[in-house]
Amino acid sequence: MITDTSTPSGGYTRPDIDVPALTRVLDGEYAEIRELVRTNLVKHASVLEEAEELDFEAFRERVRELAVALAATGQTGMGFPKEYGGGGDIGASIAAFETLAFGDLSLLVKVGVQFGLFGGAILHLGTERHHRALLPDLITGKLLGCFAMTETGHGSNVQALGTVATYDAESQEFVITTRGEAARKDYIGNAARHAELAVVFAQLDVGGRAEGVHAFVVPVRVDGAPAPGVRIEDDGRKMGLNGVDNGRISFDGVRVPREALLNRFADVTPEGVYESPIENPGRRFFTMLGTLVQGRVSVGGGAINAAKVALAIATKYAVRRRQFDAAPDTEEQLLLDYGMHQRRLLPLIARTYALHFAQDVVRTQLHEVFSGETDDEQARRELESRAAGTKALGTWHATRTIQECREACGGAGYLAVNRFAALKADSDVFTTFEGDNHVLLQLVAKGLLTNYAHEFEDMDQLGMVRFVTGQAVETVIEKTSVHKLLERVRDLLPGGDEWDQEAGLLDSEYQLAMVRFREEHMLAGLARRLKRGMEQEREPGAVFSHVQDHVIAVARAHVERLVLEAFVERLRTLPDDDNKVALGLLCDLFALSTIEADRAWFMEHGRLTVQRSKAISREINGLCRKVRPLAVDLVDAWGIPQEMLRSPDLVA
């Protein structure tokens, strides 16, 4: 870490960044697949103009053509088994998807729907009979499909879906029916024009007994026309992503064979007997949904890379554009030389690097769990929680960053040719698809409160409240009591009761201790509030509703702590060179900016004095001055092809 705490002078030596070497650090073990994606992006760079020039239907067709073309290169099939034509590497498939986000986001989402959601459901919920019949053509793009989970009246609440699949033992078929407008499948990518098959999530009814939500492979088109009993409507134009054909699907007694059930976790015999190796219905449901966590990991990574594009454009513009005289008889000053402009952009670059390394962690966890390298229950639960939290923070970061970068480019940023219009419109929905961010953070908090208890799998909201106000709450409060926290912090930073007033601001252990204290103090407070509400004999649902702001705050604090830990741990693995020094500056900038952004909480809870709060702000300003001459190299290290930056007036 850096020892100088004021300005770029005073013994500080500016690091000389080796950009290709830093790119190799960022690309990691997936450099080869990332380079393939970059090459394909450049080859098809014209899609950025076509998004503006082609009409609605023509652009949809163009995006479909490009998705199939990418499939032919192998980049979209990396996550499927080799025996069906895939690459056999789930981690590589996520890396490829992340890198594709440097380009047109309609193409990214089209690829995600076809190969991630539709293909992922077939792979992870189906068995060999489905894999053998569907995966070879799915991987090449010859067979296009969609993922029909969300309903008009049932978004994040998957357990309450209204579509019903009733087993008819006489014909050995499932009958798929949409019960009311609220149960129609809605906002479904690939549905309006291109999908031939749909993976349909429906309530399974066997012999009059409800067995919960299951997934079925259902034909939705025959020779380009809606299949019998299937009604398809076009969702029409959206805020963005208009190269993706989102639509609504309804089913009127559509019959599919018994083998259409994706039966990895449950099956129905020809005679109509329901069978599952997982006896508990709640655990079965969460196990099924847990296999689809890949979508959240993909969306989070894609959003982070979309933010990189915006930052690269805005940073390069800021070292070209001059405005106002810095002093009489001098040239107008570059935008990035202004302290306010540094404050606007450079902490966002630091946070983007931090989220990049956090995404590396969750991608690795996903690969280990789904490749069988790690197969215990706790690893899966930790993956689900981390994927949910990283997706939430990554997508919110993209939305904020793209807006800030657009503003930082003034009127030029408002021109469509400079990419911000498409980036803003196309990435905005990332905060709500693959799970609304606030709902996802509640999932994160639920995991913290129950401490990944065995009962976690089976709990709805009310069950969770009852559990944490019982046996779990005492554990949480004891584990996270202020006294215990301070004891642990003193172990990290010897120095007595004034540890947080004496530690160096650029000491990573101090930074980590601060965010750990915040998380665990918030968690203990939330547990106490839940317990108090239940002791007052209020309804569990009302108790939970009254503390939802605390639930979200705890989850955000938890994920920010994970992000900082990921950055610090990655730094520790690097050789001592100038690139490590530069990344150390960014790590300090991210950590202190995170503390500064929540300074009110730290001051309210006695962990930050007024004087130290001011010192943190001064330190951030000093770090920004140090990062300023490195900024272009730092964004260049992301390896975004020049053709993807486009923006001829800003970065030429």
Side-chain angles (χ1 to χ4, degrees):
M1 292 286 184
I2 305 303
T3 56
D4 175 49
T5 61
S6 54
T7 67
S9 60
Y12 167 75
T13 302
R14 189 177 86 190
D16 184 13
I17 294 178
D18 181 340
V19 174
L22 185 52
T23 301
R24 289 193 293 273
V25 169
L26 295 170
D27 284 356
E29 62 186 298
Y30 299 114
E32 185 175 348
I33 185 66
R34 292 188 192 277
E35 197 54 39
L36 170 62
V37 177
R38 290 184 178 108
T39 300
N40 289 336
L41 285 170
V42 172
K43 181 178 179 181
H44 301 296
S46 62
V47 69
L48 298 179
E49 285 77 34
E50 291 162 348
E52 299 159 7
E53 297 167 355
L54 296 178
D55 65 33
F56 188 46
E57 292 298 339
F59 185 52
R60 284 176 163 184
E61 290 304 315
R62 179 59 175 151
V63 169
R64 182 194 64 79
E65 291 172 5
L66 288 176
V68 174
L70 293 181
T73 72
Q75 77 169 63
T76 62
M78 290 302 300
F80 295 100
K82 291 182 178 180
E83 58 263 38
Y84 302 112
D89 190 330
I90 290 175
S93 74
I94 303 298
F97 186 86
E98 293 165 357
T99 311
L100 189 61
F102 289 152
D104 177 75
L105 296 183
S106 281
L107 179 56
L108 176 82
V109 172
K110 188 79 168 180
V111 165
V113 168
Q114 167 68 15
F115 303 101
L117 294 178
F118 173 62
I122 299 293
L123 176 63
H124 297 304
L125 298 180
T127 53
E128 185 182 357
R129 71 190 187 203
H130 305 105
H131 299 166
R132 190 172 56 250
L134 301 175
L135 287 184
D137 284 348
L138 186 160
I139 292 168
T140 63
K142 181 179 178 181
L143 171 66
L144 298 182
C146 62
F147 182 84
M149 176 183 281
T150 300
E151 295 179 354
T152 304
H154 307 95
S156 298
N157 188 6
V158 179
Q159 282 181 295
L161 293 178
T163 303
V164 177
T166 304
Y167 185 64
D168 180 350
E170 184 175 340
S171 64
Q172 295 186 25
E173 294 174 317
F174 292 103
V175 184
I176 314 294
T177 304
T178 299
R179 295 188 175 176
E181 287 297 294
R184 67 185 180 184
K185 299 299 179 181
D186 212 344
Y187 327 118
I188 309 301
N190 271 5
R193 289 291 181 273
H194 299 139
E196 300 171 52
L197 292 181
V199 171
V200 177
F201 289 80
Q203 303 285 353
L204 174 59
D205 185 307
V206 181
R209 178 184 172 89
E211 301 290 356
V213 174
H214 292 67
F216 304 81
V217 179
V218 182
V220 292
R221 279 188 177 81
V222 178
D223 297 327
V230 177
R231 187 174 83 240
I232 300 176
E233 302 173 63
D234 196 323
D235 276 322
R237 289 188 178 274
K238 309 180 291 290
M239 283 178 61
L241 298 177
N242 283 306
V244 183
D245 52 318
N246 293 80
R248 303 182 179 100
I249 312 176
S250 299
F251 304 94
D252 184 10
V254 175
R255 289 180 172 269
V256 294
R258 183 180 65 88
E259 292 78 11
L261 172 65
L262 293 175
N263 64 330
R264 178 180 175 187
F265 299 112
D267 208 346
V268 176
T269 68
E271 298 75 23
V273 177
Y274 179 80
E275 299 176 337
S276 174
I278 306 173
E279 292 186 10
N280 185 284
R283 187 181 306 171
R284 188 186 313 130
F285 173 76
F286 285 114
T287 299
M288 178 185 71
L289 289 193
T291 64
L292 306 176
V293 70
Q294 180 174 335
R296 287 173 184 163
V297 177
S298 298
V299 169
I304 294 164
N305 273 14
K308 291 177 185 176
V309 176
L311 280 165
I313 295 169
T315 300
K316 289 173 179 289
Y317 180 65
V319 297
R320 293 183 64 226
R321 178 75 155 86
R322 295 181 180 274
Q323 185 146 291
F324 301 114
D325 297 332
D329 303 320
T330 62
E331 189 176 15
E332 287 187 296
Q333 191 164 341
L334 290 170
L335 291 180
L336 202 54
D337 288 336
Y338 286 100
M340 189 65 237
H341 215 78
Q342 294 173 12
R343 268 285 195 155
R344 295 174 71 182
L345 296 183
L346 302 185
L348 292 178
I349 292 176
R351 191 174 183 87
T352 303
Y353 266 83
L355 286 165
H356 175 102
F357 292 124
Q359 176 71 10
D360 283 348
V361 174
V362 76
R363 186 195 323 106
T364 298
Q365 289 181 337
L366 178 81
H367 180 83
E368 290 174 349
V369 167
F370 282 84
S371 66
E373 294 177 24
T374 303
D375 196 28
D376 63 275
E377 195 64 34
Q378 181 165 329
R380 286 182 173 270
R381 295 307 172 202
E382 289 176 353
L383 168 61
E384 289 166 17
S385 176
R386 189 157 196 150
T390 305
K391 183 268 180 184
L393 263 63
T395 54
W396 271 328
H397 172 69
T399 298
R400 173 194 170 196
T401 297
I402 292 166
Q403 176 64 26
E404 190 66 57
C405 289
R406 203 293 299 160
E407 292 182 26
C409 292
Y414 202 63
L415 301 179
V417 71
N418 293 328
R419 285 220 64 186
F420 290 111
L423 284 170
K424 278 175 57 67
D426 292 343
S427 68
D428 193 76
V429 75
F430 285 22
T431 59
T432 47
F433 72 30
E434 288 304 300
D436 174 273
N437 284 351
H438 287 91
V439 175
L440 292 182
L441 288 184
Q442 290 182 62
L443 184 153
V444 173
K446 179 178 175 181
L448 292 172
L449 285 163
T450 58
N451 198 28
Y452 304 107
H454 186 65
E455 293 87 344
F456 170 82
E457 305 164 39
D458 311 326
M459 285 183 204
D460 57 14
Q461 176 176 299
L462 304 188
M464 184 274 288
V465 174
R466 293 190 181 100
F467 180 78
V468 299
T469 54
Q471 65 187 82
V473 72
E474 299 300 338
T475 302
V476 170
I477 293 174
E478 171 65 16
K479 178 183 173 184
T480 62
S481 68
V482 174
H483 177 69
K484 296 281 186 183
L485 281 172
L486 289 180
E487 282 185 355
R488 296 219 299 275
V489 169
R490 289 191 193 106
D491 289 340
L492 288 172
L493 296 172
D497 292 336
E498 300 301 316
W499 62 269
D500 52 348
Q501 308 307 322
E502 299 171 357
L505 296 180
L506 300 183
D507 185 332
S508 60
E509 295 299 341
Y510 164 75
Q511 298 161 0
L512 288 167
M514 289 288 277
V515 295
R516 287 167 178 163
F517 177 88
R518 178 182 61 166
E519 173 193 347
E520 299 194 14
H521 194 288
M522 284 181 170
L523 182 59
L526 172 60
R528 289 189 181 94
R529 286 179 174 86
L530 287 168
K531 184 179 182 183
R532 189 182 312 125
M534 291 300 291
E535 287 173 345
Q536 294 170 355
E537 299 184 351
R538 290 155 54 194
E539 283 297 317
V543 172
F544 186 83
S545 178
H546 288 165
V547 300
Q548 274 183 306
D549 56 334
H550 297 281
V551 169
I552 300 301
V554 166
R556 288 191 72 138
H558 170 70
V559 182
E560 283 194 325
R561 187 262 294 174
L562 293 178
V563 172
L564 180 57
E565 285 181 344
F567 203 159
V568 171
E569 288 303 315
R570 190 68 180 92
L571 266 180
R572 288 171 177 165
T573 68
L574 298 178
D576 292 327
D577 57 16
D578 278 12
N579 281 357
K580 183 174 184 177
V581 173
L583 289 176
L585 290 170
L586 291 181
C587 189
D588 287 333
L589 182 54
F590 167 67
L592 294 185
S593 296
T594 299
I595 295 169
E596 183 189 54
D598 208 10
R599 71 169 86 197
W601 187 92
F602 287 107
M603 294 176 78
E604 286 173 355
H605 293 83
R607 302 272 62 86
L608 203 59
T609 64
V610 172
Q611 293 75 18
R612 199 160 177 84
S613 175
K614 291 178 179 179
I616 286 175
S617 294
R618 288 193 300 270
E619 192 68 69
I620 291 172
N621 290 336
L623 287 166
C624 284
R625 290 192 290 273
K626 292 175 180 177
V627 171
R628 185 267 176 255
L630 312 176
V632 173
D633 284 346
L634 290 168
V635 300
D636 281 347
W638 290 328
I640 305 168
Q642 183 70 20
E643 293 83 353
M644 295 301 98
L645 296 180
R646 202 183 178 198
S647 310
D649 298 331
L650 304 187
V651 301

